[in-house]
Amino acid sequence: MKVVTVDRNQLKTPEMAHAHLAELLAFPSYYGANLDALYDVLTDIQEDTCIRVPRLIIAKTCLGQYGERMVEVLSAAELENKHLEVIYF
């Protein structure tokens, strides 16, 4: 299983968060860096993958309202894709 850990220091802006996730998970070059595109690439993952995300994003400490929406996208993608697991630490 591929395991990646999101760096809390990369969750300061939506742009930084998307760039960090794209790098960690080797998203394709056409990745749109928005929540719809995030859902699309996460549901396309074919390799068993675990994404470790700092709990700060849940508490809105990172990214505020956008972080809350990102958590919703991560959860929806996890439900849709049997190869994806999201863990908050």
Side-chain angles (χ1 to χ4, degrees), residues 5-79:
T5 301
V6 175
D7 180 353
R8 66 186 277 177
N9 295 317
Q10 298 300 314
L11 298 176
K12 294 180 181 175
T13 67
E15 295 80 14
M16 286 177 71
H18 284 287
H20 183 54
L21 286 169
E23 182 181 339
L24 281 177
L25 295 163
F27 289 168
S29 60
Y30 58 82
Y31 172 60
N34 61 60
L35 295 174
D36 288 333
L38 179 60
Y39 178 82
D40 290 343
V41 294
L42 291 176
T43 56
D44 283 345
I45 290 174
Q46 296 297 308
E47 175 186 2
D48 288 344
T49 302
C50 177
I51 304 172
R52 299 179 69 243
V53 182
R55 284 193 185 277
L56 295 173
I57 197 169
I58 296 170
K60 297 185 189 177
T61 304
C62 297
L63 301 174
Q65 191 86 17
Y66 195 86
E68 184 178 312
R69 292 179 28 225
M70 186 173 274
V71 168
E72 290 172 4
V73 168
L74 291 168
S75 297
E78 181 181 26
L79 287 173

